[in-house]
Amino acid sequence: MTKKKDLKRRVRERQERTGESYTAALAQVRGPRVAAVPEATREAKAAGLRCRAFVSTRLRRETDLAALFARLREMLEALGAPACGPLLRGEMAPGGIPDAVRLAVESRRFLTEVRTGARGFSRDGRLFALEWKGEVIVGGIVVHAGRTPLIYLGCIEDLRANGAALAGLSLMGIGG
């Protein structure tokens, strides 16, 4: 039996109706792809962070992301987060690949605490939550040896309602 028989049938039906090529009809039948995650590296660097930064679409609409990254920098410094070396001083990150199961368990535990009012960093220092303009902002930091650190920021409310925001956070190892 042909794989994806139903999909191919729907694509061919659309081709007949619209006159589109198979590829164009396939793109329409499959529906929209996940939107690219907006970048905010310029704003992060303006706040003194040495990383590539990404934010949710909702945060990208903010006019003052540099202030948010400045707030994150203050929190990093005040709490002495493990990521301070690579993010603030450009130090080399420790090597190794994190255990995905342990990371997922820690992510769920941390988000449960955040939803009940906790702020700051997760036990492993990879995730964080802070208050900004009346919103709870959650994020993840990925630091690998020999690579530029990555940061992702999004509103916790986006995790409940927005699949695209959840996709961005899942890139950082955060689960809803």
Side-chain angles (χ1 to χ4, degrees):
M1 181 177 241
T2 306
K3 290 184 179 180
K4 301 180 185 174
K5 185 177 179 180
D6 184 55
L7 175 65
K8 290 178 181 178
R9 180 188 49 77
R10 289 184 293 138
V11 170
R12 289 191 181 105
E13 286 173 358
R14 180 175 175 93
Q15 273 186 285
E16 286 179 29
R17 256 192 349 265
T18 65
E20 295 171 319
S21 69
Y22 185 88
T23 305
L26 177 63
Q28 293 300 317
V29 169
R30 281 189 175 159
R33 294 190 180 258
V34 175
V37 179
E39 191 159 354
T41 300
R42 186 183 57 216
E43 292 89 341
K45 287 187 178 192
L49 298 174
R50 297 179 181 196
C51 65
R52 289 193 63 202
F54 300 88
V55 296
S56 67
T57 304
R58 182 175 172 184
L59 284 179
R60 180 72 263 176
R61 289 190 292 260
E62 288 289 332
T63 57
D64 195 15
L65 281 178
L68 173 58
F69 284 107
R71 171 77 178 95
L72 175 59
R73 182 189 170 104
E74 290 171 5
M75 190 173 79
L76 284 163
E77 291 171 336
L79 298 176
C84 281
L87 286 173
L88 303 180
R89 298 180 294 276
E91 297 171 2
M92 287 299 293
I97 298 172
D99 174 37
V101 173
R102 184 178 43 78
L103 188 61
V105 169
E106 173 60 14
S107 299
R108 292 210 178 266
R109 185 205 59 76
F110 180 70
L111 285 175
T112 299
E113 289 181 4
V114 168
R115 287 184 176 116
T116 60
R119 303 295 180 264
F121 284 91
S122 62
R123 292 177 190 157
D124 62 8
R126 295 176 188 272
L127 310 175
F128 59 87
L130 59 94
E131 297 277 339
W132 189 69
K133 292 187 176 183
E135 297 266 1
V136 177
I137 305 298
V138 293
I141 301 169
V142 176
V143 181
H144 292 296
R147 298 213 173 168
T148 302
L150 297 174
I151 292 179
Y152 179 84
L153 303 173
C155 300
I156 195 162
E157 291 303 318
D158 291 343
L159 290 177
R160 293 188 179 117
N162 186 339
L166 192 54
L169 289 174
S170 68
L171 289 174
M172 309 305 286
I174 302 173

